[in-house]
Amino acid sequence: MSTQPQTSIALDLEPREVEATLQPLERATMLPPRAFVDSGVFEWELETIFSGWICVGHVSRVAEPGSYLMREIGTDSVVVMGGEDGRPRAFLNVCRHRGARLIDEPEGSVRRRIQCPYHGWSYGLDGQLKATPHMEGVEDFDTSCWGLMPVRVATVGGLVLVDLSGEAPDVGDHAGELAGYLERYRVEALGRAGQTSYEVAANWKAIAENYSECLHCPGVHPELNRLSHYMSGEVLDGAGAWCGGSMTLTEGASTMGREGGHAHHRPPIDGLSGADLTSVLYFVLFPNTLVSLHPDYAMLHTLWPRSADRTDVVCEWFFEPATIAAQGFDPSDAIEFWDQVNREDWHVCELTAKGVRNRGYVAARQARLGRDRRRRRSQRTHGGRLPGAGRTLCPRAGASRAPRGRLHPRAPLLRRALRGQPLRLRRRPARRPRHPRARARAARPSLLDGRPQSLGAVR
Ligand code: FES
Ligand SMILES: [Fe+2]
């Protein structure tokens, strides 16, 4: 069934601000400050973006019958639960009787039934209504019509995704070539060895975009920058709603972790070889998923927007099952390292969240720094090959690829956000510019002048 909201919220941004964001990065501005603080924009994002494919977590959390993940997406709540047949199912987390929330913990397990804590209606792991106390004699009440409301669910490379709209494009197209990286690093087979949650006083886009750039690393993350130089690595490109890149470990480091990245002598993930043993790969899968692939472990962040300036973040660490089972296994070097880096990131994201509210702040230009330096380093570390060098637009997706350390990619998320979405921009009456050149510029036709249109057509 489709759970797509029937209403459509207009995006309260000036057409010219959006148009400027969608320019090639050399000419683009960042998103306007309102995109990070305005509750109307936030509501639009929930309805338009977060109704499509969203990663809720790792398949290992729903592998057993009755084991579940519960996530809140705006005012909706979704439960993904392992079925009797081993396949995960997803439902809206609402009892069909008086609408009580069924499951209130972010993860856990039930034995054979989901029982409502209010009047005791119970549902099977497939969502079918099984028992309805005190409903005997009620006319025209067919329990087969009152099961839990299903939500579209899929797994890709160990990630579990839900689609509240029921109408998002095929999940294979969504993940695209990212699926190949997840398979190479055996993300599906890895087991969880650590988890932590954060409340960040910043907009979800600011967190995702901060993750996508490393120009801040030397100042904000000195320990991280000692283990992988912020200009190292290369751009990764390919089909799908993601952007990503690699960073190269410095000599002597075998992973990202405390004590110089010596990995507590953990073996690498099975099957990795060559450059994978000296690199860390970073991906943003639009809109809420950050995946970091290390030689010996994977890290997954999922972002859960709560308001325009608040985001909950879940961070999890995954290792080879054999590594976890080995005597003396200790993941603390990796967990403590990234916990510190996470907190350093949240701090600057929160500073930005405060700063963009200042009345004088306007959308800035994109940084385009260090390109030549990055190319030189890359020639040393990757035999002169720099995939994606000089490429800022992906012709298939119409989205800019965000090389780590080279560009400050404010634009890609909005491109992704708006691509293919019916966009109704709220127009304000234009002020007549005073300067003749500004008047001439304002008189030029705009791509977004006129009727509501799909941004999928704007390139
Ligand atoms: S609300 Fe669930 S049984 Fe009444
Ligand atoms: Fe950072």
Side-chain angles (χ1 to χ4, degrees):
M1 68 177 278
S2 169
T3 50
Q4 176 88 40
Q6 296 303 304
T7 57
S8 179
I9 300 173
L11 178 59
D12 189 11
L13 294 176
E14 294 285 346
R16 285 181 196 287
E17 293 173 315
V18 176
E19 190 183 41
T21 302
L22 294 170
Q23 293 292 316
L25 290 180
E26 293 82 352
R27 299 199 297 274
T29 68
M30 297 182 195
L31 289 169
R34 282 199 319 289
F36 296 92
V37 298
D38 186 280
S39 57
V41 173
F42 180 74
E43 291 301 324
W44 180 87
E45 290 171 341
L46 284 183
E47 185 189 91
T48 310
I49 299 170
F50 281 81
S51 61
W53 288 117
I54 302 295
C55 176
V56 297
H58 187 258
V59 286
S60 61
R61 313 320 301 163
V62 294
E64 299 296 322
S67 60
Y68 65 78
L69 288 168
M70 186 279 285
R71 295 289 184 260
E72 293 168 319
I73 306 169
T75 54
D76 290 313
S77 173
V78 177
V79 173
V80 180
M81 184 171 283
E84 306 273 12
D85 58 2
R87 287 194 303 123
R89 305 265 189 331
F91 316 101
L92 292 184
N93 186 16
V94 54
C95 179
R96 297 299 304 276
H97 180 216
R98 292 187 66 181
R101 174 169 288 194
L102 292 165
I103 288 177
D104 216 18
E105 295 297 322
E107 60 181 80
S109 64
V110 298
R111 289 192 62 181
R112 289 181 50 242
R113 297 275 173 91
I114 307 164
Q115 186 166 46
C116 178
Y118 200 171
H119 309 93
W121 283 26
S122 63
Y123 305 85
L125 303 187
D126 58 359
Q128 291 296 309
L129 182 57
K130 299 289 189 189
T132 56
H134 312 300
M135 293 294 284
E136 304 82 8
V138 175
E139 293 182 10
D140 198 21
F141 177 67
D142 178 356
T143 54
S144 69
C145 300
W146 293 90
L148 298 179
M149 289 173 277
V151 171
R152 194 175 174 209
V153 62
T155 60
V156 175
L159 306 182
V160 183
L161 298 97
V162 297
D163 164 29
L164 279 173
S165 74
E167 296 171 352
D170 186 82
V171 73
D173 295 338
H174 180 72
E177 291 171 44
L178 176 61
Y181 291 101
L182 298 175
E183 282 163 22
R184 191 165 94 221
Y185 279 76
R186 292 173 32 82
V187 172
E188 183 171 1
L190 303 183
R192 191 173 75 175
Q195 189 258 14
T196 188
S197 302
Y198 306 91
E199 283 183 24
V200 186
N203 184 274
W204 66 277
K205 299 186 295 297
I207 294 170
E209 289 167 347
N210 171 72
Y211 174 88
S212 299
E213 58 98 350
C214 263
L215 299 180
H216 67 273
C217 289
V220 176
H221 310 302
E223 191 177 1
L224 181 150
N225 198 52
R226 276 195 291 277
L227 293 181
S228 62
H229 190 277
Y230 76 112
M231 289 291 186
S232 67
E234 60 187 12
V235 179
L236 300 172
D237 206 350
W242 57 271
C243 57
S246 70
M247 294 182 75
T248 307
L249 291 164
T250 52
E251 211 169 319
S254 57
T255 192
M256 300 298 264
R258 282 267 151 85
E259 302 155 36
H262 296 304
H264 282 187
H265 308 294
R266 283 185 296 271
I269 289 170
D270 282 358
L272 294 186
S273 61
D276 289 341
L277 300 178
T278 55
S279 304
V280 183
L281 312 187
Y282 298 91
F283 300 96
V284 179
L285 175 62
F286 184 79
N288 79 323
T289 313
L290 318 177
V291 182
S292 313
L293 302 175
H294 304 68
D296 58 324
Y297 67 94
M299 182 172 63
L300 174 67
H301 290 84
T302 47
L303 312 182
W304 302 98
R306 299 300 176 222
S307 67
D309 54 9
R310 205 193 121 211
T311 307
D312 290 347
V313 181
V314 177
C315 183
E316 298 165 283
W317 290 261
F318 299 89
F319 295 77
E320 279 285 359
T323 302
I324 294 173
Q327 197 174 16
F329 169 66
D330 179 3
S332 62
D333 61 309
I335 293 171
E336 288 173 12
F337 173 86
W338 278 113
D339 180 55
Q340 178 178 326
V341 172
N342 284 340
R343 290 174 195 279
E344 291 164 349
D345 276 326
W346 312 153
H347 175 62
V348 289
C349 289
E350 290 177 349
L351 289 180
T352 304
K354 290 175 181 169
V356 295
R357 287 182 178 278
N358 272 270
R359 69 183 69 190
Y361 179 75
V362 293
R365 299 298 305 276
Q366 304 279 351
R368 190 169 175 75
L369 301 176
R371 184 172 170 182
D372 293 341
R373 185 173 173 193
R374 182 185 175 90
R375 187 194 298 273
R376 278 202 303 277
R377 291 183 63 85
S378 192
Q379 280 168 348
R380 273 206 305 275
T381 53
H382 299 281
R385 191 174 61 88
L386 180 58
R391 185 176 182 187
T392 55
L393 287 174
C394 169
R396 273 169 293 186
S400 59
R401 294 293 172 187
R404 290 178 66 83
R406 183 153 63 93
L407 299 167
H408 190 282
R410 283 286 191 202
L413 279 166
L414 188 67
R415 288 172 189 281
R416 288 295 189 196
L418 301 182
R419 185 172 162 255
Q421 302 293 345
L423 180 70
R424 291 195 298 117
L425 289 163
R426 199 164 291 161
R427 304 179 71 84
R428 295 190 175 89
R431 276 205 216 118
R432 185 176 154 79
R434 288 210 194 126
H435 195 282
R437 255 202 317 245
R439 274 207 296 277
R441 200 164 46 236
R444 273 189 230 136
S446 158
L447 279 173
L448 293 175
D449 279 346
R451 300 267 162 228
Q453 54 188 288
S454 163
L455 261 275
V458 179
R459 294 282 188 265

